[in-house]
Amino acid sequence: MNKSLLTINNLSVTFKLDERTLPALDGVSFTLDKKETLGIVGESGSGKSVTALSIMRLLQEPPAEITSGEIWFNDENLIDKNETEMGDIRGNKISMIYQEPMSALNPVFTIGYQIAEVFMEHQNKTKKEALELSIDMLRKVQIPNPQTAINKYPHELSGGMRQRVMIAMALACNPEILIADEPTTALDVTVEAQILKLIRDIKEELDSSIIFISHDLGVIREIADKVIVMYCGRIVEQADSDSLFDDAKHPYTKGLIGAIPHLQKKGEKLKEIPGNVPAPDEITKGCRFKTRCEFVFDRCLCEEPDLIKVDNNLVRCWLYEKQRGDDNV
């Protein structure tokens, strides 16, 4: 029996486009415990959203293909589930808040109809019962005048209110796991703070576990208990939040933390990581961060390091090769 609520073992995903096979995830492994918030961070193209969609089994197959790995949820391997079985899990036991609520919400249906649909689908509620529960959910996510809001269409709400609606839909069935895929993107800082507080409060109320995906390390530090840093489909560092932000090991993690905006002195420039994330078909042998790393040396060019434990962190970097041996994971 797995002690963790969710266990990902050696998950690899590829996409087949024309005659090319492009790697999206490569040997990703991690756990999510009950009542824990796991942050997943990295630049665009790192594999964050593919990881989330793989857990939900929402990748279109083909072109996507899970080539290896296991996704254990409550001691059941989701890889073995058919679409009907996954339909009973999605929304009911594992829910997702999507990145852009204006795209995720259907513009031709009212807010009330879209939330009520969750109750009718997963809890066999009548339309009347589902609408009453929808009003309660809107009240729970602090939308003013929920009796009026259920009759509005997505375009009639602000970005922050639409995001609250998405949270209401995701939490309608009290899921055990909530996956939030950059839920504060495009929101101003005031609304962002309100949404983060709302997610934390609801997590405590429902005893849910959260996977919070973001490119914003400031947000991750505020909300996550444990953090995974991804680069080119690989986990390059993993640690509890305090260990990662106070004593990051991987050059990529250090670069991301160093690039967090702060009040600059006059004439001081924002720090940046040089170069760009390579496209999947541009990944070559050796460390995947080698083209952007200031510490690169010969071994980095020809051999990819494994994850090893360094102090409280797991890190994938040849700078710590002297600590290899019995500490390999």
Side-chain angles (χ1 to χ4, degrees):
M1 300 285 285
N2 291 307
K3 294 182 180 179
S4 297
L5 180 61
L6 180 73
T7 300
I8 310 296
N9 288 328
N10 196 36
L11 182 64
S12 295
V13 176
T14 61
F15 287 86
K16 292 185 178 179
L17 300 176
D18 301 324
E19 300 300 320
R20 299 177 298 163
T21 298
L22 306 178
L25 296 180
D26 191 353
V28 170
S29 299
F30 62 86
T31 61
L32 176 70
D33 295 333
K34 291 184 178 180
K35 302 182 183 180
E36 182 178 59
T37 298
L38 170 68
I40 303 181
V41 68
E43 295 168 277
S44 298
S46 296
K48 307 184 302 297
S49 294
V50 174
T51 300
L53 293 172
S54 297
I55 295 169
M56 297 286 287
R57 294 291 308 280
L58 285 174
L59 291 173
Q60 184 175 338
E61 302 179 29
E65 180 183 0
I66 297 177
T67 55
S68 70
E70 301 170 324
I71 303 173
W72 290 96
F73 169 65
N74 282 338
D75 298 299
E76 294 182 293
N77 189 1
L78 300 186
I79 299 294
D80 298 331
K81 300 291 184 183
N82 59 36
E83 185 59 26
T84 300
E85 292 170 329
M86 282 304 304
D88 292 334
I89 292 173
R90 295 189 200 112
N92 202 25
K93 297 179 180 179
I94 305 177
S95 284
M96 191 165 180
I97 305 172
Y98 293 95
Q99 185 171 0
E100 177 43 65
M102 198 59 194
S103 301
L105 292 170
N106 194 319
V108 302
F109 292 111
T110 63
I111 296 302
Y113 176 87
Q114 295 185 63
I115 301 176
E117 193 175 30
V118 178
F119 292 110
M120 291 187 287
E121 175 70 22
H122 292 291
Q123 296 186 358
N124 297 318
K125 300 295 184 182
T126 65
K127 184 177 180 180
K128 181 180 179 181
E129 291 171 333
L131 285 173
E132 290 175 353
L133 289 169
S134 299
I135 292 172
D136 289 339
M137 286 306 303
L138 291 180
R139 187 177 293 113
K140 183 174 291 187
V141 297
Q142 301 169 15
I143 288 184
N145 302 316
Q147 294 90 342
T148 302
I150 62 168
N151 296 314
K152 292 187 176 182
Y153 291 86
H155 72 272
E156 297 180 279
L157 301 178
S158 67
M161 291 296 107
R162 289 196 296 267
Q163 195 59 277
R164 290 172 188 266
V165 171
M166 291 296 300
I167 294 172
M169 292 175 65
L171 295 174
C173 297
N174 296 344
E176 295 178 64
I177 297 176
L178 175 65
I179 301 175
D181 188 1
E182 305 208 32
T184 58
T185 296
L187 300 179
D188 64 54
V189 291
T190 303
V191 176
E192 177 184 82
Q194 294 171 355
I195 294 297
L196 291 177
K197 183 179 185 302
L198 176 62
I199 291 174
R200 283 195 300 266
D201 291 346
I202 291 177
K203 174 197 170 185
E204 294 300 319
E205 180 180 342
L206 301 181
D207 286 338
S208 296
S209 301
I210 297 177
I211 297 176
F212 197 101
I213 298 169
S214 182
H215 63 276
D216 188 332
L217 269 76
V219 170
I220 290 292
R221 182 165 198 172
E222 183 176 344
I223 201 167
D225 302 309
K226 184 170 67 181
V227 183
I228 287 171
V229 181
M230 296 190 69
Y231 188 77
C232 289
R234 283 281 209 184
I235 293 176
V236 296
E237 188 161 3
Q238 179 177 331
D240 66 83
S241 184
D242 288 341
S243 296
L244 187 110
F245 284 99
D246 294 341
D247 191 19
K249 304 297 184 183
H250 198 282
Y252 180 58
T253 309
K254 292 179 180 180
L256 291 175
I257 294 173
I260 296 175
H262 59 278
L263 289 175
Q264 309 295 116
K265 296 179 181 177
K266 187 175 181 179
E268 183 182 1
K269 294 183 178 180
L270 282 171
K271 295 182 180 179
E272 62 180 32
I273 302 173
N276 299 301
V277 178
D281 57 353
E282 296 174 342
I283 296 173
T284 57
K285 65 180 181 179
C287 174
R288 302 187 180 198
F289 190 58
K290 61 183 181 293
T291 58
R292 307 175 70 189
C293 182
E294 61 179 310
F295 304 106
V296 65
F297 56 97
D298 289 347
R299 194 170 190 181
C300 307
L301 303 177
C302 58
E303 190 176 352
E304 186 176 15
D306 297 322
L307 277 174
I308 63 166
K309 189 170 181 61
V310 181
D311 297 330
N312 294 320
N313 303 19
L314 293 176
V315 60
R316 189 187 300 277
C317 183
W318 285 122
L319 288 174
Y320 305 96
E321 63 179 297
K322 291 181 181 180
Q323 300 190 37
R324 294 179 180 271
D326 293 339
D327 287 337
N328 278 357
V329 295

